[in-house]
Amino acid sequence: MSSEGEKKGTTVGIIGGTGQMGSFFAAVFRRAGWEVAVRGRKSDQSLDRFLDPCDIVMIVVPIRATVGVIEEVAPLLRADQLLCDLTSLKTGPVAAMIKSKASVVGLHPMFGPGVETLQGQTIVVTPATAPEERYRPMIRVFAGDGARITVTTPEHHDRMMAIVQGLTHFLTLCMADTMRRQQIEIEEVLTYTSPIYRIQLGLIGRLLSQDDGLYGDMLQMNPAVGPVLADCEQAVQSLSDAVESGDPDRFSRFFLENAKKYSVYGPQATLETDHLIRCLVER
Ligand SMILES: O=C(O)C(=O)C[C@]1(C(=O)O)C=C[C@@H](O)C=C1
């Protein structure tokens, strides 16, 4: 707000704005020239007074806390306000947000706070009660900074996250646990690796240096993860059987069935991993 207390431009209130992701988005909006108010856990101001001047209220708290915070905030909002959240799951948070009078859109930034800018990053948008023109200016800010936007429903988002986050992180943790069970030290493993292996191993080191609660919530709170893990178990069993059989045809059948399925992805995957290899070589 201006010094006269007169409102100019858009005001975004970020609840959880003192955390890493909240601070990242506060900086994105400030760079776009928007007013940003942040609220951390230890605020003296009443929630009502914090929310009142906000055009957009963004909830950026840990997954497990999201619905509880939404339930506190949602009843205090007006129809002219836009409510959104940034959590990794969308069905539960969006269902809680739409109880509000405010227009609602769910958001999920597909990156952690370590990125420097939005350039090349993906943000998933799950519109609920907000008409497109209400959230378009915010999406323009993200896209203007180079973000790729994917629009879908909360349910489809969660189904895709069961793969993108659930399966990926599950298998990363399984690989870490397998090496630990083999009593092999990562320092030694690394001396045998070229960059291509360090792309995969890097995901283990990266994931395990982050918050256990975040990854636990992603895996345990998304109901779509269960069926994915059931298929994963079958895949592990089927590949194990093929390997243990010693039968080259059996292995080839497994391999070629998947090669056919992923043939469209081959050229892009090779190009991108070649690029990563060059980056790791040039360090
Ligand atoms: O390690 C990273 O930078 C991440 O990608 C963080 C990560 C993830 O691991 O899936 C964490 C939570 C968000 O929902 C999206 C991305």
Side-chain angles (χ1 to χ4, degrees), residues 29-186:
F29 291 126
R30 284 194 184 110
R31 272 200 303 276
W34 290 12
E35 295 272 342
V36 178
V38 300
R39 184 180 173 89
R41 246 176 293 192
K42 298 186 197 116
S43 177
D44 298 331
Q45 193 185 27
S46 77
L47 186 55
D48 251 334
R49 289 192 64 168
F50 174 82
L51 296 172
D52 185 58
C54 299
D55 302 297
I56 300 176
V57 174
M58 182 176 262
I59 295 177
V60 194
V61 299
I63 305 180
R64 240 167 239 274
T66 300
V67 169
V69 172
I70 290 170
E71 282 168 357
E72 274 178 59
V73 170
L76 305 176
L77 296 176
R78 304 180 302 269
D80 64 317
Q81 293 172 304
L82 179 68
L83 174 61
C84 52
D85 77 306
L86 293 193
T87 209
S88 309
L89 296 176
K90 293 274 67 81
T91 308
V94 168
M97 287 194 292
I98 59 174
K99 291 184 185 150
S100 156
K101 284 193 197 118
S103 292
V104 169
V105 59
L107 301 171
H108 182 193
M110 295 304 304
F111 51 88
V115 303
E116 279 165 23
T117 70
L118 284 175
Q119 185 62 44
Q121 303 296 335
T122 295
I123 298 180
V124 185
V125 178
T126 65
T129 53
E132 208 253 331
E133 64 271 18
R134 289 296 304 280
Y135 62 86
R136 191 189 300 136
M138 181 170 66
I139 301 305
R140 282 213 178 123
V141 169
F142 300 154
D145 270 4
R148 298 184 342 175
I149 306 296
T150 296
V151 181
T152 187
T153 61
E155 293 72 23
H156 192 64
H157 165 277
D158 289 0
R159 160 114 180 85
M160 293 311 290
M161 284 313 119
I163 301 287
V164 176
Q165 295 187 310
L167 181 62
T168 310
H169 300 328
F170 180 85
L171 289 173
T172 299
L173 288 169
C174 282
M175 198 169 160
D177 202 56
T178 305
M179 288 192 293
R180 187 183 61 78
R181 286 165 190 270
Q182 289 284 311
Q183 300 184 347
I184 285 176
E185 298 307 320
I186 188 70

